[in-house]
Amino acid sequence: MSTGNMNLTLKVWRQKNNKTKGALVDYKVSDISPDMSFLEMFDVLNEQLINKGEEPIVFDHDCREGICGMCSMFINGRPHGPKDLVTTCQLHMRSFKDGDTIVVEPWRAKAFPVIKDLTVDRTAFDRVIAAGGFISVNTGNAQDANNLPIPKIQADAAFEAAACIGCGACVATCKNASAMLFVSAKVSQLAQLPQGQPERYRRVQSMVAQMDAEGFGNCTNTGACEAECPKGISLENIARMNRDFYSAKFVSEEDI
Amino acid sequence: MSDLNSNIPEGELTTKWTKYKSSVPLVNPSNKRTIEVIIVGSGLAGASAAATLAEMGYKVKCFCFQDSPRRAHSIAAQGGINAAKNYQNDGDSVYRLFYDTIKGGDYRAREANVHRLAEVSANIIDQCVAQGVPLAREYGGLLDNRSFGGTQVQRTFYAAGQTGQQLLLGAYSALERQIGMGKVEMFTRHEMLEVVKIDGKARGIIARNLITGEIERHFGHAVVLGTGGYGNVFYLSTNAMGSNVTAAWKAHKQGAYFANPCYTQIHPTCIPVSGDHQSKLTLMSESLRNDGRIWVPKKKDDLRKASEIPEDERDYYLERRYPAFGNLVPRDVASRAAKERCDAGYGVGASKLAVYLDFKANTERYGRIEAAKAGNHNPDKETCMRLGTEVIKAKYGNLFDMYAQITGENPYETPMRIYPAVHYTMGGLWVDYNLMTNVPGLYCTGEANFSDHGANRLGASALMQGLADGYFVLPYTIGAYLSKEISVKAIPTDHPAFVEAEARAKGILDTLINIKGTKSVDHFHKRLGHIMWEKCGMARNEKGLKEAIEEIRALRAEFWRDVRVPGSVDELNTELEKAGRVADFIELGELMCIDALNRNESCGGHFREEYQTEEGEALRDDEHYAYVAAWEFKEGVNFELHKEELKFENIKVAQRSYK
Ligand SMILES: Cc1cc2nc3c(=O)[nH]c(=O)nc-3n(C[C@H](O)[C@H](O)[C@H](O)COP(=O)(O)OP(=O)(O)OC[C@H]3O[C@@H](n4cnc5c(N)ncnc54)[C@H](O)[C@@H]3O)c2cc1C
Ligand code: SF4
Ligand code: FES
C-alpha cells in the first residue's frame, strides 16, 4: 500500500451560489500519495474540512474513469490540469511535486454559470443537442445493420468525432468561450455517416443557431480547444462543420 | 411453492413473445397524449424507454441526478454488447444466446425472460446503427465482432473500448430529440426520494432538486425505475461514484420485493487497489481476455519481474484448469480462480493481490499477420512486436492508456496486473415478465431489476438488457397496464398520499442534517464496504455472514447517532445526498447478508464456502434453491422471504462445466 508524503497548498475557488461572489481560499493538504487521482486528493481535503466542521468543496464528478465528462476544474490555469489528453479524474498526483501550490477554479464561460464552488451549469450543451444533434429515427423497424455497409475508414472517423465526452473544457479554455469544437464533433460524426445525410444541412443550421442563442462566443481559430480537449477531438471537425454550414445556405429549402 | 405470479405467457417458449406482442391491448393515440409516465434514470434503460415512450405519444417526465442524461453510468461500459446476429457464421443463434445466458447465470434466471432478450438482441444493433452509433467495422464495411467470456462464438459488437458511451449517446440523442419536441420533460440534477402510492398503485414520485434543495411532487400514471445497480454498497467498485440503490430501496420500503440481493458479480480484470485513499476501482474490459493470457509464477513469492520469468515457470492457470474455454471462462469462474491463486501465495505485485494479464503472445501473432499482409513472410521478433502493438493499440488503446495513467506502468511493455473487483449486481427489484414490480404501475428496468442474468451475468449482456428493456420490451408491456388506466385523470399533487410521501422524504433529510455527529458519511460507507467485501464478497460462509449482520446493525445504529452532515437542506449539498444513499446502502447490506445466508448453495456470483465440489467449483442445490428469493420489507428493518420457483422446461439443468 502506498502512503504519501507530498504536502501541497491549494487555492480553491469557493462560491456559495450563483447569487453570491466567490473568492480563492487557501488550504493545506499533507500526506498525499503520488498514486492518488486529483479528485482523491480533493476527497482527502474534504474529509479534513468535514472533520473541522466546515463545508466540503463541491465539485462535479461521477465515473472517475475519464468518460462521463462530468469532472471539470481549471487547475493552474488549464482545464483538467497540466497533462494532455486526460480529465481531472484521470490526473494523478504524480504529475505534481511536493511543496507545490495549485490554483483550482471552475470553468469560466457566460453560457456555463457557476452553481456552487467548482460546479457549473453545462445544460446549454444538452439544448444544442436537442436542437438537432441526432438522427430522426423512431424505435423499431430499423433495417438490418449490415444492409448499410460503411467503409471502415469512414466509420473510424465518425467514431473519433463521437468520442467527445461533453466536458466543456473546449469552451472553458477558449478566450471567446466558443462551443465550436463540441458542436462540430457531433455535426461531423453524423455528417460522415450515410444515416446522417437526410438531415445533414438542417442539423448544422439548427445546432449553430442554438449554440449562438446559448451565448457561446465565436470561433476565431486559436486552437486552444483542441490543445485542451481530453479526448483529442480535432480542429478538422470545425472545418468540416463550417463547410457544411456554408453549403447549407446554398442547398435549396426542400433539401433542408 | 411460488407465491408470486411472474405472468409468463402460456405457450411455446419460442413464440411467447411474438404472441404476446400481437395480442397485448393497445392504447389509442389520443389517449396516449393524456397519459403521463415517469421514468427515473437516463442510462441505457431509462433513456431508451423515455425516448421510445415519447415517440409512441405518451407524456414522459425523465429524471437523473447528474447534470445531463448523457452522464449516466452506462457511459462507462467498455467492452461490448451481445446480439445473436451470427454475422461471423460461427453457429450463433437466438437459442445459443439464450442457452449461454441461462448456463452462464448458473440456472437461476427465468427462461421466458432470457429467451425474449435473445430474440430482441438483433433489433438492438439495427436500431443503434440507424441512430448513427459508430460501432466497429471491418474493411469490407460490415460490422465487426469480438469474443467475451462464457461463450464460444463471436457475438459481441463494440466501439473500441467505449461501447457504453456510444450506445448511451445514441439513446441520449433520441431522448434529446424528444425533449426538443417537448414530448419529454427532463429533470436533471434531481434525485427521486420516494414513490407515491395511491390505492395500492404507483402514481408518482417525490424528488429533490439537488441545486436548490426544493422537494417536488410529480404525478405519473405509471412509474419506471431504471436507476442502475447497487455495487457501491461495497464502497470500492467499478461503478460511478453516484451509483446508488436509493430509488429501488425506497420502492422496496413501499412494498416492492427485492430479489436475489446477494448476487454480486465480481469482475476478474480490474486494476488492483493501490492504497487506502482509493475511491473506486477501474475495470479493464473483459474483451482484453480475448487477446490476453492470464498467469502467475509457478513458484510462490516469486519476486522476479514478469519479463524475467521464463515460459515454463509460468502457470497459465485458466488454460490449465479449463481447457475448453481457457481464458474465456465466465467472470465468476475467472474471479474465483484468481483469488484461489493469490490466497495460495502465488499473487504478484506489491500487494500480492494480483495476477498477470499478458498480451505478448497475441501481439506477436498479430504482428506476424500484419507483416505477412505486407509481404514479409519471415519477420523478426521485433518487427512482429512493433506491428502487433499497433493492432493492439487500435483495439484497446484507450484501456491501455487508462491503465498507464492509473498505475504509472506501460502495459505495452509489461503485462497488466489485475485483480477481481465488485462490478455488477444481478439482484434488484423483483419484476414479472412485464417488467412490473409487485406494486401495480411500478416498473423496473435495466440493472435495477433482478431479471435475465440469474446468479452471474455474462459479459456484454447488461448493455443488451438495458436497451432491450427500454427500446423493445417496456413499450409493449407498459401499454398493457396503461390501457386500463385511460380513464384515470391526472391526480393533483395535493392528494394526501403526495403530502405524506413528501413528509417522509423531508423527515429523513432533516434527521440527517440534525444529527450533527462526529464522523463523515464516507467514514461509514468505507466501514460498510469493508464488512461487505470481507464477509459477503467473493466467498461467503455462515459464520461470517452472521457476524456481518450483527456488525451492520451496529453500524446502522451508530450512523443514525453519529454521522456529520455539514451545510443545510435547502442548497446544493453533496454530503446530504451521499448520507441518504449510504443510509439505504446500510439497510441493503444487511439484506444482502440475510439473502446470502439463506441460500445454502453456491451458484454463479454467490459462492458459499461450505458448498463446493472437490475441485473447488460452485455446488448448486437445485432441489432446494432453484428459486428467486424475493424479499418483502417489514416494519423496523425486517425482511420476509417469498419464493418464485424457477422452471426449466427447455434447457436441461446440468452441472456447469467449462472444461
Ligand atoms: C466500468 C464498467 C464497464 C462495463 N462494461 C460493460 C460492457 O462492456 N458490456 C455490458 O453489457 N455491460 C457493461 N457494464 C455494465 C453496464 O454498463 C450497466 O449494467 C448498465 O449500463 C446499467 O444501465 P442502466 O440504464 O440500468 O443504469 P445506469 O446507466 O446506471 O443509469 C442509472 C440512471 O438512474 C439515475 N438515477 C439513479 N438513482 C436515481 C435517483 N434516486 N433519482 C434520480 N435518478 C436516479 C442516474 O442518474 C442514471 O441516469 C459495465 C459496467 C461498468 C461499471
Ligand atoms: S470537444 Fe473535447 S473538450 Fe470539448 S466537450 Fe468534447 S471532449 Fe470536452
Ligand atoms: S468523473 Fe467522469 S470524466 Fe471525470
Side-chain angles (χ1 to χ4, degrees), chain B residues 583-599:
Chain B
D584 294 337
F585 274 143
I586 295 177
E587 293 182 1
L588 166 72
E590 183 180 335
L591 178 60
M592 289 169 74
C593 295
I594 293 175
D595 186 44
L597 186 61
N598 167 70
R599 195 166 278 279

Side-chain angles (χ1 to χ4, degrees), chain A residues 1-2 16 33 35-37 40 43-44 46-47 49-65 67-70 83-84 86 90-92 94-95 115-116 119-123 125-127 129-131 133-153 155-156 158-159 162-167 182 186 189-190 193 195 199 231, chain B residues 48 51-52 55 65-73 75-76 78 85 87 125-127 129-135 137-143 159-160 162 165-166 169 172-174 176-180 188-189 211 238-243 273-283 350-351 402 404-408 471-472 518-520 522-523 564 566-568 571-575:
Chain A
M1 298 281 149
S2 59
K16 195 160 175 48
S33 146
D35 288 339
M36 285 181 189
S37 71
E40 285 167 344
D43 294 342
V44 172
N46 274 345
E47 199 68 12
L49 294 177
I50 295 168
N51 286 338
K52 280 199 289 189
E54 292 175 29
E55 280 194 45
I57 298 158
V58 176
F59 57 93
D60 264 337
H61 66 110
D62 198 16
C63 73
R64 295 203 175 186
E65 292 195 2
I67 192 76
C68 73
M70 190 125 171
K83 288 198 77 168
D84 291 341
V86 295
Q90 290 293 291
L91 175 68
H92 284 71
R94 62 181 89 87
S95 304
I115 295 175
K116 183 173 184 174
T119 295
V120 302
D121 180 351
R122 283 172 285 188
T123 47
F125 270 9
D126 292 329
R127 291 187 291 272
I129 299 293
F134 47 74
I135 287 171
S136 295
V137 51
N138 282 359
T139 305
N141 304 320
Q143 64 173 331
D144 185 278
N146 262 354
N147 284 346
L148 197 73
I150 302 174
K152 181 168 163 53
I153 308 215
D156 286 353
F159 172 76
C164 163
I165 56 174
C167 63
F182 168 79
K186 187 47 81 183
Q189 175 202 341
L190 300 180
L193 295 171
Q195 308 91 301
E199 294 165 293
K231 295 295 155 185
Chain B
S48 56
T52 307
E55 286 162 13
F65 62 72
Q66 292 93 345
D67 67 329
S68 161
R70 68 177 293 147
R71 306 210 206 279
H73 174 52
I75 200 92
Q78 299 174 346
K85 280 279 200 190
Y87 281 164
I125 302 304
D126 300 340
Q127 176 65 24
V129 166
Q131 288 170 341
V133 171
L135 294 170
R137 286 180 185 263
E138 290 165 349
Y139 279 100
L142 303 181
L143 290 157
Q162 281 131 275
Q165 179 195 27
Q166 293 311 321
L169 291 183
Y172 157 81
S173 63
E176 287 297 335
R177 171 171 162 244
Q178 299 299 323
I179 295 172
T188 58
R189 291 200 198 265
I211 298 181
T238 62
N239 287 9
M241 299 299 285
S243 299
V273 179
S274 74
D276 296 335
H277 58 266
Q278 203 137 348
S279 59
K280 75 159 287 165
L281 295 171
T282 304
L283 180 74
S351 66
M402 213 193 285
Q405 199 59 44
I406 292 171
T407 61
Y471 284 137
F472 299 110
T518 63
K519 298 193 184 86
S520 71
D522 277 357
H523 166 91
R564 171 182 289 179
S568 63
E571 60 173 342
L572 176 57
N573 187 338
T574 45
E575 285 299 301

